[in-house]
């Protein structure tokens, strides 16, 4: 059965960026639909850390108190685990002088609460469905969507056409698809970064510490989540992963990577010596750090679809939520022009202004993350960097500043 629905904006992806945009636009009186291909709650490869600068936005979205009840402890220290080196330094405080610290929240809680809040705001949540095609029409696009679940008795999957004046791409950066903001899959390369994540119970990581983990061929991080759990996430080069698997032929990929990290980092061994794995290892990638195109005709990109930093700075969730906030500031302020029959000039101006505000807020941390990641993954520079940090641990605090953990969102219409 085919059904048509019409919206002012259709959002593709119901993660933190997509749900944030949906809530803000619905609260401003827009007709909004969200297409999400997965059922929630879901586990997802992610560092799970939410910076102090993002919690005020979550409070304004109406989900902060519920999330805080499921979050880990306040993260007051940043650390480094590399080889035999174990260091810690203070996490920087917010530049606006307000109290508050970052905390980690499991994606199964964060994503579900945000998307439920969007539904409460009147958003039409279409889940689990996927966009299978896009066709431009007068004053907008028609996106074809197909149900993701199997139907009994061999029935064909349900389909529908979704018409929208604008489309907001909030999909993952490594997801191939039919949208102009999605890139084709590149052939595998030795330098590809593959991401892994697992939860543990019973760790001995010091309370409130978030250490950066450096190991041959990759980097990662650990953070305490709600309920006394711990999240370990990491990225490893494809060629390094292949070497790990050759050494541990009977192990699955995630277990092989974990064994490699344990053998390389005293801090990880000590923190997880008595811990037990809580659920399976998750994997994704290759990840695609960098800055991408922000607008194509009536398509706008937020979250990882617009740009992402290397996972080494643990800013993925914050950048996703904050980028959606920036775009919606522009869209809401120019609603009549955007939704006009011919709003091409307004869309071009909004695209330009959104890109400028995005770069003002995030470009520095994207470039800093790329620099830190290259230092960490090259044996020679990693050795020099660790030696320097042993002499001056406060440099870790400075690195956290460069990664954006102390800079509140600079909204274009309020700065």
């Amino acid at each position: 059965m085919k059904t048509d629905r019409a919206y002012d904006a259709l959002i593709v992806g119901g993660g933190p960026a997509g749900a944030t945009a949906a809530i803000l636009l619905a609260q401003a009186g827009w007709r909004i639909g969200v297409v999400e291909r997965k059922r929630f709650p879901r586990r997802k490869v992610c560092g799970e850390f939410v910076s102090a600068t993002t919690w005020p936005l979550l409070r304004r979205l109406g989900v902060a108190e519920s999330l805080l009840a499921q979050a880990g402890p306040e993260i007051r220290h940043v650390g480094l685990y590399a080889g035999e080196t174990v260091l810690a330094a203070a996490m920087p405080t917010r530049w606006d002088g307000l109290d508050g610290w970052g905390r980690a929240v499991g994606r199964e809680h964060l994503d579900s609460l945000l998307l439920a809040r969007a539904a409460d705001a009147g958003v039409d949540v279409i889940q689990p469905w996927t966009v299978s095609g896009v066709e431009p029409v007068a004053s907008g696009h028609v996106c074809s969507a197909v149900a993701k679940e199997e139907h009994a008795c061999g029935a064909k999957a349900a389909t529908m056409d979704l018409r929208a004046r604008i489309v907001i791409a909030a999909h993952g950066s490594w997801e191939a698809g039919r949208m102009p903001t999605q890139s084709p899959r590149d052939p595998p390369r030795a330098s590809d970064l593959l991401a892994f994540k697992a939860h543990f119970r019973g760790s001995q990581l010091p309370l409130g510490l978030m250490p950066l983990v450096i190991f041959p061929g990759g980097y990662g991080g650990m953070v305490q989540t709600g309920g006394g759990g711990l999240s370990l996430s990491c990225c490893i080069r494809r060629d390094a992963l292949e070497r790990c698997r050759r050494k541990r032929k009977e192990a699955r990929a995630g277990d092989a990577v974990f064994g490699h990290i344990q053998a390389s980092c005293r801090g990880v061994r000590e923190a997880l010596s008595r811990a037990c794995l809580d659920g399976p290892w998750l994997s994704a990638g290759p990840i695609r750090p960098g800055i991408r195109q922000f607008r194509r005709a009536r398509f706008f990109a937020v979250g990882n679809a617009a740009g992402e930093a290397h996972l080494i700075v643990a800013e993925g969730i914050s950048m996703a939520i904050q980028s959606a906030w920036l775009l919606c500031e522009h869209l809401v302020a120019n609603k009549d022009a955007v939704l006009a029959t011919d709003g091409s000039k307004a869309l071009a101006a909004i695209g330009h202004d959104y890109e400028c505000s995005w770069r003002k807020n995030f470009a520095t941390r994207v470039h800093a993350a790329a620099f830190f990641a290259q230092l960490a993954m090259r044996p020679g520079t990693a050795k020099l960097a660790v030696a320097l940090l042993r002499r001056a641990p406060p440099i870790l605090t400075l690195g956290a500043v460069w990664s954006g953990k102390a800079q509140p969102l600079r909204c274009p219409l309020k700065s």
Side-chain angles (χ1 to χ4, degrees):
M1 179 178 179
K2 205 163 191 176
T3 305
D4 292 328
R5 304 185 191 181
Y7 307 101
D8 295 326
L10 179 69
I11 300 170
V12 181
T20 295
I23 295 168
L24 294 173
L25 293 178
Q27 289 177 338
W30 294 50
R31 294 172 300 157
I32 303 297
V34 173
V35 179
E36 167 53 48
R37 67 189 186 96
K38 294 287 187 180
R39 279 203 178 276
F40 289 176
R42 62 172 178 182
R43 296 185 65 195
K44 187 174 176 64
V45 177
C46 172
E48 301 190 330
F49 180 70
V50 181
S51 291
T53 57
T54 303
W55 284 100
L57 305 183
L58 292 171
R59 188 163 284 106
R60 290 166 64 184
L61 292 172
V63 297
E65 295 308 316
S66 296
L67 289 173
L68 286 170
Q70 314 220 38
E74 294 178 339
I75 302 302
R76 294 173 177 257
H77 292 88
V78 61
L80 174 69
Y81 291 171
E84 295 299 306
T85 298
V86 174
L87 297 175
M91 182 70 78
T93 55
R94 283 168 40 176
W95 290 1
D96 56 9
L98 297 178
D99 294 331
W101 302 92
R103 299 173 70 172
V105 182
R107 288 294 297 270
E108 63 271 26
H109 304 306
L110 176 68
D111 293 10
S112 297
L113 279 168
L114 278 170
L115 198 56
R117 179 72 184 90
D120 289 343
V123 173
D124 187 10
V125 177
I126 305 166
Q127 182 186 34
W129 288 62
T130 187
V131 171
S132 58
V134 179
E135 181 181 350
V137 296
S139 301
H141 285 84
V142 171
C143 297
S144 302
V146 59
K148 291 288 290 181
E149 295 186 336
E150 296 286 341
H151 288 261
C153 305
K156 291 184 179 180
T159 63
M160 69 174 81
D161 286 344
L162 309 172
R163 182 184 295 265
R165 292 296 184 92
I166 63 170
V167 178
I168 297 176
H171 50 71
S173 63
W174 53 71
E175 295 174 7
R178 303 292 183 86
M179 295 176 56
T181 50
Q182 293 174 308
S183 302
R185 295 189 184 276
D186 296 324
R189 297 175 297 181
S191 60
D192 286 342
L193 283 177
L194 304 175
F196 291 85
K197 184 186 86 169
H199 285 163
F200 293 84
R201 294 284 176 185
S203 80
Q204 299 177 72
L205 184 70
L207 190 68
L209 173 67
M210 184 169 68
L212 167 64
V213 176
I214 296 178
F215 54 89
Y219 61 80
M222 297 194 295
V223 68
Q224 292 143 334
T225 58
L230 177 140
S231 175
L232 168 62
S233 56
C234 65
C235 288
I236 185 169
R237 284 174 55 106
R238 188 185 295 275
D239 52 3
L241 174 62
E242 291 173 355
R243 290 193 292 271
C244 289
R245 302 202 71 178
R246 285 197 295 268
K247 284 185 178 180
R248 300 167 176 84
K249 293 183 180 180
E250 302 302 319
R252 294 186 176 184
D255 295 322
V257 172
F258 183 47
H260 175 58
I261 295 173
Q262 285 184 304
S264 307
C265 298
R266 175 170 68 92
V268 175
R269 289 196 302 272
E270 293 176 350
L272 300 180
S273 62
R274 301 177 187 175
C276 57
L277 190 63
D278 183 15
W281 279 92
L282 305 180
S283 62
I287 67 168
R288 297 176 54 235
I291 300 174
R292 290 178 265 282
Q293 192 165 345
F294 298 88
R295 184 188 74 91
R296 296 187 181 185
R298 288 183 172 269
F299 280 78
F300 291 91
V302 294
N304 286 354
E308 64 183 309
H310 275 268
L311 276 64
I312 198 167
V313 296
E315 281 293 293
I317 293 175
S318 291
M319 287 178 59
I321 292 171
Q322 292 180 19
S323 67
W325 202 286
L326 290 174
L327 175 61
C328 290
E329 286 263 311
H330 290 292
L331 292 176
V332 170
N334 297 277
K335 177 182 178 181
D336 292 341
V338 170
L339 301 183
T341 302
D342 182 11
S344 56
K345 290 185 178 179
L347 292 172
I350 289 171
H352 174 268
D353 292 343
Y354 167 52
E355 178 175 354
C356 289
S357 57
W358 193 101
R359 290 181 181 276
K360 179 180 179 182
N361 279 277
F362 308 127
T364 297
R365 76 186 74 176
V366 171
H367 297 316
F371 175 72
F372 297 152
Q374 292 304 314
L375 281 181
M377 289 188 294
R378 295 177 179 176
T381 55
K383 185 176 180 180
L384 290 173
V386 171
L388 176 61
L389 290 168
R390 280 201 301 265
R391 289 179 175 271
I395 295 177
L396 288 169
T397 303
L398 184 59
V401 171
W402 288 339
S403 72
K405 290 182 172 56
Q407 175 61 62
L409 181 66
R410 291 170 285 185
C411 292
L413 303 183
K414 298 178 182 179
S415 58

